[in-house]
Amino acid sequence: MHYVLSFRSHDRSCIPMLPRPEIPGHPALRFNAGARIDERLPVVELRQGADHQGSIPDYVPTALAGMVVSSRFRHTLEAAGVDNIDYHDARILNTVTGAALDNYYVANIVGRVACLDRENSVVEPAPGIPDAILEIYEMVLDYNRIGDLRMFRLHELPFIVIVDQGVKEAIERAQITGVRLSPADGYST
């Protein structure tokens, strides 16, 4: 069984989404393309301003098209056998208090898999764009296309991150914060 990994916090004191950071020399860099970024990036600095105060979970909500994760989350994924992620150093700077957290990473998932079973899924096509999807109302995966990836982005909607049963269990055992794991089959955006 596979699961959609998304942000969720049960803690009302958790920060709201942090703004997209600027990455010097890389204004158009995307972390959801599923492609490896071979170049060493400067430390990605996320600014936690006055409107973004609160506790910081292991999975940080950001406007960056990529996952920002704590070192604890990173080690959990690595221990679970997820080996298709490039990690780039990130810093969360609280511009109100001056505190900085250097134990975070931008996780670039290498691999997008076109595994949406279009015949059995219920989707809303994007108008005027052939084969593009605007919304998924009921997702069904074609498991024959997934292969042995433990974690990947859905090619059809790359903001959707999917993990297998073993990764889900590792995340739950480690009590990673800021994460929701929903069954992939039947999932709705």
Side-chain angles (χ1 to χ4, degrees):
M1 189 156 182
H2 285 72
Y3 297 84
V4 173
L5 185 152
S6 58
F7 173 77
R8 179 176 186 185
S9 178
H10 298 289
D11 180 358
R12 293 210 182 273
S13 69
C14 182
I15 60 171
M17 183 178 291
L18 293 179
R20 179 181 168 83
E22 288 187 29
I23 303 172
H26 303 277
L29 186 62
R30 294 180 46 223
F31 292 95
N32 65 351
R36 187 167 306 281
I37 299 169
D38 293 323
E39 168 178 3
R40 182 168 171 80
L41 299 177
V43 174
V44 176
E45 188 170 275
L46 297 130
R47 295 182 172 271
Q48 182 184 7
D51 294 341
H52 300 93
Q53 295 301 297
S55 63
I56 300 176
D58 292 307
Y59 181 25
V60 180
T62 74
L64 183 67
M67 295 177 61
V68 176
V69 301
S70 68
S71 58
R72 207 167 78 82
F73 196 174
R74 174 185 177 167
H75 296 306
T76 298
L77 293 174
E78 290 173 339
V82 176
D83 59 3
N84 61 316
I85 298 180
D86 293 333
Y87 293 95
H88 301 277
D89 292 337
R91 172 182 301 119
I92 299 174
L93 176 63
N94 188 319
T95 59
V96 174
T97 67
L101 298 173
D102 291 316
N103 59 334
Y104 281 81
Y105 302 90
V106 177
N108 179 44
I109 302 169
V110 179
R112 280 178 30 177
V113 180
C115 62
L116 184 69
D117 181 339
R118 287 186 182 247
E119 287 186 25
N120 293 304
S121 295
V122 179
V123 302
E124 181 178 336
I129 306 171
D131 296 325
I133 295 173
L134 184 62
E135 190 85 26
I136 297 176
Y137 296 110
E138 186 174 345
M139 181 161 65
V140 177
L141 297 181
D142 180 344
Y143 290 95
N144 293 322
R145 296 183 188 169
I146 294 174
D148 61 355
L149 286 176
R150 313 272 335 259
M151 182 173 186
F152 59 91
R153 290 189 177 277
L154 183 67
H155 178 76
E156 293 84 354
L157 278 180
F159 68 85
I160 295 178
V161 175
I162 298 177
V163 300
D164 71 11
Q165 181 77 33
V167 173
K168 173 196 180 277
E169 291 170 0
I171 290 169
E172 291 174 339
R173 274 193 310 276
Q175 298 180 0
I176 297 299
T177 58
V179 169
R180 174 189 303 189
L181 294 158
S182 308
D185 286 329
Y187 181 78
S188 172
T189 56

